[in-house]
Amino acid sequence: MNWNSRRRALRLMAAAIAGLATACEKKSETQAPAPDAGKSGTSAAPTTENKRSVGFSQIGAESDWRKANTESIQAEAAARGFELEFADAQQKQENQIKALRAFVVKGVDVIAFSPVVETGWEPVLKEIKQAGIPVVLTDRAVEVSDPDLYVTFIGADFVEEGRRAARWLIKEMGGKAMVAELQGTPGSAPAIDRKRGFEEEIKSHPDIKIIKSQSGEFTRSKGREVMETFLKSPEGKQINALYAHNDDMALGAIQAIEEAGLKPGVDIKIVSIDGVRSAFEAMAAGKLNCTVECNPLLGPQLFDAIEAILAKKPVERRIVTPSGVFEQATAAEDIKTRKY
Ligand code: AHR
């Protein structure tokens, strides 16, 4: 059976399963509805014949980075004539797993997703593999025992981002600092790796000390809330540097620092990760000192990979997105060419 007939057969099977699933759903009043079914458009109707289809499960909309990432993927899908089944998981792994299963039922050609956390994906990835649908990971990695459960992983090197943030801070602070750390979502690849990279680099600088560390969940509101508690804690007065795993948390923390009567960027030096427009604005205003870039515009790389997979061309196992480090001094000029 060639690929097209196999796809058609899979879709027919998927439509049959979908019909069965709908019937079962009607029977069971206690059963939860399909993941984000209303919001995401992952309803069980088969996809349009002849249009290449991609199911994409996004984590949510927790940060400016994430919003830019979603826009990039949606725009690229439209530009290349793909039918995109988009599902917003609202930060929940269970919603992502349900969305992935809905994509299988729908019989999409390729599944892509940005996993909210690193672990717990093996069973659903095995189901997708059995259905014969290739998987592309974007932005965040997963921990699985079988590497063949996905084709490629496209995204930044988070460990290196953590190292870069540390190198900047060590230099800026002359090798001596009392650091507060705002971590990303617990269990997520960027939170784990950015912490690891930073700690790896400061290990040989014993006077750089992390004296407070907690998750701010990659959001502005939580970043502000956690920074406020840091500053009110017994160690609060010693903090003279902040390392935030993303710009949004740093921007929230800036508000908390100002509310505490301190000058962000001066009394407390701040380095964060992402390089979103509002971080450049904060740098130009002297409130943020440095941002380590993590490019969210993954749409073109993702669809290059998808097109190669569908054309049965070889695809690299790991595609690393390039990035830079930006400082206050050039922020006003840099902002003119920023794309997100
Ligand atoms: O996975 C990338 C991270 O997730 C970004 O740094 C952060 O802003 C986002 O929410």
Side-chain angles (χ1 to χ4, degrees), residues 161-288:
E161 289 171 352
R163 290 190 199 112
R164 286 178 177 181
R167 279 183 218 127
W168 178 85
L169 198 72
I170 293 163
K171 193 161 166 244
E172 178 72 14
M173 303 299 289
K176 198 169 159 40
M178 296 299 230
V179 184
E181 178 187 31
L182 285 169
Q183 298 179 38
T185 308
S188 69
I192 296 167
D193 293 351
R194 287 171 183 170
K195 182 165 186 57
R196 199 174 93 210
F198 189 86
E199 287 178 349
E200 205 179 280
E201 203 66 29
I202 64 167
K203 218 187 294 166
S204 48
H205 296 268
D207 289 333
I208 302 273
K209 295 191 173 90
I210 299 178
I211 58 167
K212 298 300 276 182
S213 184
Q214 198 181 309
S215 172
E217 290 163 20
F218 280 132
T219 68
R220 225 172 264 210
S221 57
K222 198 76 187 163
R224 179 183 178 175
E225 187 187 310
V226 176
M227 189 66 195
E228 192 184 327
T229 59
F230 283 171
L231 292 169
K232 285 184 178 157
S233 73
E235 304 87 5
K237 289 210 160 38
Q238 298 175 56
I239 299 170
N240 61 3
L242 170 67
Y243 166 44
H245 289 192
N246 82 344
D247 289 340
D248 278 76
M249 292 189 293
L251 294 165
I254 285 171
Q255 276 179 273
I257 294 167
E258 285 177 329
E259 280 157 15
L262 297 167
K263 278 196 166 151
V266 179
D267 297 324
I268 298 181
K269 300 281 183 183
I270 308 172
V271 57
S272 56
I273 297 174
D274 276 355
V276 296
R277 180 169 298 279
S278 36
F280 280 83
E281 284 162 3
M283 285 200 291
K287 298 180 180 188
L288 177 74

Side-chain angles (χ1 to χ4, degrees), residues 57-107:
S57 166
Q58 180 59 289
I59 292 170
E62 73 281 5
S63 61
D64 285 2
W65 189 100
R66 186 68 52 202
K67 290 170 205 154
N69 179 248
T70 294
E71 277 168 29
S72 168
I73 289 164
Q74 288 176 333
E76 201 62 27
R80 300 198 196 196
F82 275 86
E83 184 176 326
L84 184 70
E85 299 293 323
F86 182 86
D88 177 338
Q90 297 173 6
Q91 311 299 317
K92 292 200 174 87
Q93 182 177 34
E94 68 205 70
N95 287 348
Q96 286 203 287
I97 292 174
K98 284 183 196 165
L100 298 180
R101 289 191 171 129
F103 296 151
V104 173
V105 169
K106 203 152 193 181

